[in-house]
Amino acid sequence: MEGTGGSSASAAAPVNQKWQEFAKLFQYYLDKSTPHATYRWIGSLVIVSIFVLRVFYVQGFYIVSYGLGIYLLNLLIGFLSPLVDPELEPSDGPLLPTKGSDEFKPFIRRLPEFKFWYSFTKAFCIAFMMTFFSVFDVPVFWPILLCYWVVLFVLTMRRQIAHMIKYKYIPFNIGKQKYTGKRSSASSSGSRAD
């Protein structure tokens, strides 16, 4: 009996090894793509367009598209929300400025851009794979789903945008700011003399 268990383990070893090699290779390319946000988003838009074309030509899978839309709305809220909400818990650490005299504090997202991109792209890949299984093609009246999603989007984004205006933060920036030299001669006149 012991011989049968050993043969199945030895048969699974090459499959497991190939899977680990694939996972390492995937992680390597994922790490290399980290600083290239524009190219990552262009690749994601290609995946989104393939999914949209698939749903359009099949004319089905509206439940999958609706579930994907709700998941993406949840991701967007996490991306636009600060890590520490000043309305819920005041802390001693950095806060978002509410007045012009307040010192600038950096905006730290609850969901960083890379994780947002990765989850966004992975969700579209999974949704695309789901369109190949007929069990997910449930007949529904899609305008009702679209109307409900639009109402949900407007209500949640209205609150989020009001929060962004109140605390004066802009969550959209691409990459880190770089020093490119002196900005103007007026800024150098205010420098200290040592």
Side-chain angles (χ1 to χ4, degrees):
M1 283 207 198
E2 293 176 14
T4 60
S7 65
S8 65
S10 64
V15 174
N16 192 17
Q17 183 181 6
K18 291 289 185 185
W19 178 254
Q20 288 178 352
E21 289 175 9
F22 172 75
K24 284 181 184 178
L25 187 65
F26 177 74
Q27 188 64 44
Y28 172 75
Y29 284 114
L30 194 63
D31 292 341
K32 284 189 71 91
S33 73
T34 302
H36 307 291
T38 306
Y39 298 120
R40 284 189 282 120
W41 282 105
I42 289 171
S44 294
L45 289 178
V46 168
I47 293 171
V48 168
S49 61
I50 290 171
F51 173 76
V52 168
L53 286 173
R54 169 87 175 141
V55 170
F56 178 73
Y57 284 122
V58 173
Q59 294 185 355
F61 299 100
Y62 301 121
I63 291 291
V64 173
S65 302
Y66 178 72
L68 178 65
I70 295 295
Y71 179 71
L72 294 179
L73 183 61
N74 188 21
L75 285 177
L76 188 63
I77 290 170
F79 179 70
L80 295 176
S81 300
L83 183 62
V84 177
D85 192 355
E87 291 179 348
L88 297 179
E89 56 179 71
S91 66
D92 297 333
L95 296 175
L96 298 170
T98 55
K99 297 179 246 169
S101 63
D102 284 352
E103 179 185 349
F104 172 75
K105 307 288 188 201
F107 175 76
I108 301 171
R109 292 183 180 93
R110 190 165 34 135
L111 182 66
E113 186 271 337
F114 183 80
K115 287 184 179 179
F116 175 67
W117 166 80
Y118 184 71
S119 299
F120 180 89
T121 307
K122 188 168 72 170
F124 270 100
C125 290
I126 291 171
F128 179 72
M129 295 305 294
M130 289 173 74
T131 62
F132 290 101
F133 299 100
S134 62
V135 71
F136 297 115
D137 193 12
V138 179
V140 293
F141 189 60
W142 66 266
I144 291 176
L145 291 179
L146 181 64
C147 181
Y148 180 67
W149 188 86
V150 167
V151 168
L152 190 63
F153 179 81
V154 167
L155 291 176
T156 55
M157 284 298 114
R158 186 180 67 187
R159 180 189 175 278
Q160 193 65 36
I161 291 171
H163 190 269
M164 290 166 60
I165 291 170
K166 179 179 179 183
Y167 291 101
K168 298 179 185 176
Y169 65 84
I170 301 172
F172 300 108
N173 62 350
I174 298 177
K176 292 184 178 180
Q177 295 178 354
K178 297 177 183 175
Y179 178 71
T180 57
K182 293 183 179 179
R183 292 190 179 178
S184 67
S185 60
S187 65
S188 62
S189 63
S191 62
R192 298 184 316 181
D194 288 310

